[in-house]
């Protein structure tokens, strides 16, 4: 079993934004087709491709359908096969670092200075810590060949 081709209707009438969204989705499909996947995952991806190919929607709804399908495919691939796009962990842990490390650091700074207006000073520290952790995890995923050559 292999992945079906993406055939978007009225491709020539799409805006630049829609063309870019289709190109990113096609890049995802080409990356997935280069790797061996279980048949259940291939069937899942082909189901989403068929939905997009059969869609006769206005451009904004087509964009939403493509984005939703792309997110669901990436989520399924991450869950089943542990494959992630480039910089996935960096983005995830940057946000996590801001909330898990940045807020406590900011509270500590605000408490020591007796000025809770300094709470925001912890966010850059937390962001840096999360960025570093995510970068290490992205490098590990690349070393284990679990990283898709795709920026989302």
């Amino acid at each position: 079993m292999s992945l079906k081709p993406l055939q978007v209707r009225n491709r020539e009438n799409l805006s630049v934004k829609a063309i870019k969204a289709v190109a990113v989705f096609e890049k995802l499909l080409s990356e997935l087709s280069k790797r061996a996947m279980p048949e259940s995952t291939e069937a899942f991806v082909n189901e989403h491709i068929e939905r997009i190919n059969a869609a006769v929607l206005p451009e904004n709804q087509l964009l939403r359908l493509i984005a939703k399908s792309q997110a669901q495919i990436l989520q399924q691939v991450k869950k089943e096969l542990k494959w992630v796009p480039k910089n996935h962990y960096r983005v995830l842990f940057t946000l996590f670092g801001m909330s898990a490390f940045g807020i406590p650091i900011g509270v500590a700074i605000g408490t020591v200075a007796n000025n809770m207006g300094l709470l925001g000073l912890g966010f850059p520290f937390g962001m840096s810590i999360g960025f570093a952790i995510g970068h290490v995890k992205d490098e590990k995923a690349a070393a284990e060949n679990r990283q898709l050559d795709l920026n989302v």
Side-chain angles (χ1 to χ4, degrees), residues 69-134:
S69 294
Q70 181 175 318
Q72 289 176 346
I73 290 169
L74 285 171
Q75 183 179 20
Q76 184 78 10
V77 166
K78 180 185 176 193
K79 186 173 95 175
E80 285 187 8
L81 306 170
K82 307 284 191 251
W83 295 346
V84 294
K86 284 183 177 178
N87 302 325
H88 171 76
Y89 291 113
R90 192 170 70 184
V91 170
L92 187 70
F93 279 90
T94 299
L95 297 172
F96 176 72
M98 285 175 59
S99 59
F101 299 116
I103 292 174
I105 291 171
V107 168
I109 292 171
T111 303
V112 168
N114 200 19
N115 182 0
M116 287 315 264
L118 299 176
L119 177 73
L121 289 178
F123 288 128
F125 294 112
M127 191 168 60
S128 302
I129 292 167
F131 185 88
I133 293 170

Side-chain angles (χ1 to χ4, degrees), residues 31 35 82-89 134-135 137-151:
E31 283 298 313
R35 298 169 180 247
K82 307 284 191 251
W83 295 346
V84 294
K86 284 183 177 178
N87 302 325
H88 171 76
Y89 291 113
H135 183 71
K137 288 188 73 76
D138 276 331
E139 285 181 345
K140 182 180 177 188
E144 294 172 356
N145 197 25
R146 294 186 299 113
Q147 196 171 53
L148 300 171
D149 187 23
L150 175 74
N151 286 321

Side-chain angles (χ1 to χ4, degrees), residues 3 37-46 76-77 80-81:
L3 296 180
M37 290 187 291
E39 285 193 27
S40 62
T41 306
E42 281 187 11
F44 181 81
V45 173
N46 281 332
Q76 184 78 10
V77 166
E80 285 187 8
L81 306 170

